[in-house]
Amino acid sequence: MGLSKDRIRFNVGGRIFETTSTTLANAGRGSFFGALFDENWNLSQQPNDDEEGEEEKDDIFIDRNPDCFAVLLDLLRTGDLNIPPNISERLLHKEAMFYGLIDHLRTAKWGPFDGNRLHLSRSVTGIAPGDGTAIRAGPDGGCCVAHGSVVHVFDWMLEEHPTINLDYQRVNDVGWVDSGNIVLSACERLGRGDGGMGLFSSSSGDLRYKFQVSHDNQVKSYSAGALSFSPDSKIFTSCKGRSNEYGIGVWDQITGKQVDFFYESPGWSLGDADKLQWLNGKNCLLVATLFPRKDNCYISLLDFRDKNMVWSWSDIGSPAMVDEKRVRDAIAMEESNSICVVNEFEDLGFIDLRMDGGGSSVRWSSRSRLMKSKMPDEPCYPKLALHEGQLFSSMNDSISVFCGSDWVLTSRLKRSYGGSICDFSIGGDRLFALHSEENVFDVWETLPPPII
């Protein structure tokens, strides 16, 4: 590949731009510019017919916005993003999509995710009346927010797409299959035969298909709860049927067909699960049913290959529990072979997966005793997330970040209003936090490193 001698001219909307194949190679093979070159990044197509004038025949004509092209070309040259005030970000987003540079644009707007370097980028208010159910980060930097029977979907520009409305049917959980598709789990309404799960378009809000559950070769109505996804295109959800068909259902997310069902055993809890998490290394599903949904906590690992519960833990039979020991959320940490749990005071606890669940106890670390006197009138239960080796825990109106092998508190994210955080989610290099009182969600981003 040549350097300055490899000059290339573009005519974009009547304006002439000159660059090199070296600069355009920064766009990558999957971009609009990558299609113009052969495998050695030599121009593989003639720009114009021989009928054009000598000066014009070397120009590649593109009938697009020249102002946006200038911004994107500078982005390829320097890695820096400078948007003039006369260009809207939405227009630049559309042009970046056309040229296949959307990832370059997002990377320039914010850097690689780091919980200790996050800053509050934006707050979105007035989504829907009532408390929020869940917020889920999308793979491309957007998000979706569930409120009752309504789900609001936002792209990475935080422009809202058409609302998904389930007609007074409560949404229990929501998850992204990919940037174009969302799965909703919902409660069954007695006498209606509805409920369960559905796949919806994230851009139009249209229902693409429903996920049916069958028992004894008969289609049954059910309530679907917590969701999880595996890399081999499987969808898992906790299920409650009318005839005690409780357990974990499995579907193929491409065909929508049910492929498996793990039935709840007597004395255990699967169908009411609050949390599902697929573990790639162990090829198992974490299922956690937590207080206060049940009086006791149940955490288990399910292996669907041989329909076996390979590990389980419960506080049944433990000494009389006090509130500060009640498990409110749980998350598996495969690298350390442990499960992290949290109580309502943000004290972290750890359960060793290498020990039999029945014989293992929670090793609590009292990190937040001083928070007990500051509990709000209507607190939200803590939530946990693990991302790129950092542990996140929500507590009232803030989110704590823990790092290192001993999980030391390294930073805390907090804003001045919005009330308690009822849910948060990390994805697309962003953290989204949903507040309960002021009907608002926050967007936290990592600033890109300075270009020297």
Side-chain angles (χ1 to χ4, degrees):
M1 182 174 63
L3 296 177
S4 60
K5 66 178 184 178
D6 258 12
R7 292 188 298 180
I8 301 166
R9 286 162 57 98
F10 291 95
N11 181 336
V12 183
R15 280 174 55 185
I16 303 299
F17 296 86
E18 192 165 346
T19 186
T20 67
S21 59
T22 303
T23 295
L24 297 179
N26 292 328
R29 276 292 172 197
S31 68
F32 170 90
F33 303 107
L36 302 178
F37 296 86
D38 62 20
E39 61 183 11
N40 296 316
W41 284 94
N42 295 314
L43 198 62
S44 60
Q45 70 177 59
Q46 294 300 318
N48 292 303
D49 298 329
D50 292 336
E51 299 175 0
E52 301 289 345
E54 259 330 291
E55 262 190 51
E56 294 182 353
K57 77 175 185 177
D58 290 332
D59 298 345
I60 298 175
F61 180 74
I62 308 175
D63 190 18
R64 304 293 295 190
N65 186 290
D67 294 330
C68 291
F69 186 88
V71 173
L72 296 173
L73 185 58
D74 279 341
L75 176 61
L76 294 177
R77 286 170 173 153
T78 67
D80 197 10
L81 179 64
N82 294 297
I83 306 175
N86 64 311
I87 298 179
S88 71
E89 288 200 30
R90 185 168 183 80
L91 176 60
L92 186 63
H93 171 260
K94 289 182 177 179
E95 293 299 290
M97 290 286 288
F98 173 80
Y99 292 110
L101 298 177
I102 193 65
D103 287 339
H104 293 69
L105 190 63
R106 289 177 55 237
T107 300
K109 284 181 66 66
W110 60 83
F113 187 89
D114 182 352
N116 292 315
R117 297 179 53 240
L118 292 174
H119 81 288
L120 181 60
S121 170
R122 183 174 172 184
S123 295
V124 180
T125 60
I127 302 305
D131 293 342
T133 302
I135 189 165
R136 296 290 180 263
D140 61 352
C143 73
C144 55
V145 184
H147 286 264
S149 62
V150 176
V151 176
H152 298 265
V153 184
F154 300 83
D155 60 26
W156 80 276
M157 295 289 294
L158 300 181
E159 296 284 343
E160 187 172 1
H161 291 179
T163 299
I164 302 173
N165 195 325
L166 297 191
D167 190 23
Y168 302 105
Q169 190 176 343
R170 180 175 175 79
V171 176
N172 288 325
D173 201 358
V174 57
W176 293 81
V177 172
D178 51 44
S179 59
N181 296 282
I182 295 174
V183 172
L184 305 187
S185 65
C187 291
E188 176 193 11
R189 289 185 294 178
L190 293 177
R192 294 288 298 269
D194 49 17
M197 291 195 307
L199 182 75
F200 293 80
S201 165
S202 63
S203 57
S204 66
D206 294 334
L207 174 65
R208 292 186 168 164
Y209 53 79
K210 294 188 68 175
F211 298 88
Q212 295 182 327
V213 63
S214 296
H215 299 284
D216 299 326
N217 296 319
Q218 292 185 345
V219 175
K220 301 282 189 175
S221 60
Y222 67 105
S223 291
L227 293 167
S228 185
F229 304 85
S230 66
D232 59 347
S233 301
K234 298 294 190 301
I235 301 176
F236 303 83
T237 189
S238 53
C239 299
K240 295 193 298 183
R242 295 185 187 179
S243 303
N244 295 321
E245 303 104 344
Y246 281 37
I248 305 297
V250 189
W251 287 262
D252 186 310
Q253 66 187 34
I254 298 174
T255 65
K257 303 298 183 182
Q258 180 186 346
V259 296
D260 211 340
F261 198 93
F262 197 114
Y263 287 93
E264 180 178 299
S265 59
W268 201 252
S269 179
L270 298 177
D272 282 308
D274 301 86
K275 181 79 164 278
L276 302 183
Q277 178 190 355
W278 178 256
L279 309 183
N280 289 326
K282 296 183 179 297
N283 204 20
C284 292
L285 183 74
L286 169 79
V287 182
T289 307
L290 308 165
F291 184 84
R293 188 181 298 273
K294 291 284 189 177
D295 290 336
N296 293 99
C297 303
Y298 305 82
I299 303 175
S300 52
L301 295 183
L302 307 184
D303 189 336
F304 283 82
R305 292 169 294 185
D306 55 4
K307 295 289 186 65
N308 186 27
M309 185 181 294
V310 296
W311 185 92
S312 61
W313 175 89
S314 175
D315 60 12
I316 295 177
S318 300
M321 300 294 291
V322 293
D323 284 343
E324 68 182 41
K325 299 301 183 184
R326 294 287 190 183
V327 173
R328 306 291 186 163
D329 199 8
I331 191 166
M333 310 168 76
E334 289 195 82
E335 289 188 2
S336 59
N337 271 309
S338 63
I339 291 178
C340 178
V341 296
V342 65
N343 65 9
E344 67 179 82
F345 303 112
E346 204 191 14
D347 294 330
L348 300 181
F350 298 89
I351 307 173
D352 195 338
L353 282 174
R354 293 167 296 186
M355 297 180 61
D356 177 68
S360 60
S361 59
V362 180
R363 176 173 55 86
W364 290 100
S365 56
S366 303
R367 303 176 185 269
S368 308
R369 297 295 186 185
L370 295 178
M371 298 297 295
K372 290 186 179 181
S373 62
K374 302 178 182 179
M375 294 289 286
D377 294 335
E378 296 184 4
C380 290
Y381 297 127
K383 298 291 180 71
L384 293 171
L386 187 67
H387 189 82
E388 300 294 338
Q390 295 179 322
L391 180 64
F392 299 78
S393 174
S394 62
M395 175 66 185
N396 299 335
D397 59 352
S398 65
I399 296 175
S400 299
V401 185
F402 302 91
C403 298
S405 58
D406 293 329
W407 300 113
V408 176
L409 176 64
T410 55
S411 60
R412 195 183 294 272
L413 313 177
K414 186 175 182 178
R415 52 168 290 170
S416 59
Y417 68 95
S420 298
I421 295 173
C422 59
D423 197 18
F424 72 97
S425 180
I426 302 170
D429 286 330
R430 280 172 161 171
L431 184 150
F432 297 89
L434 178 63
H435 293 264
S436 61
E437 296 176 13
E438 296 297 333
N439 189 21
V440 60
F441 70 84
D442 301 326
V443 185
W444 295 80
E445 301 171 357
T446 303
L447 289 173
I451 297 177
I452 302 175

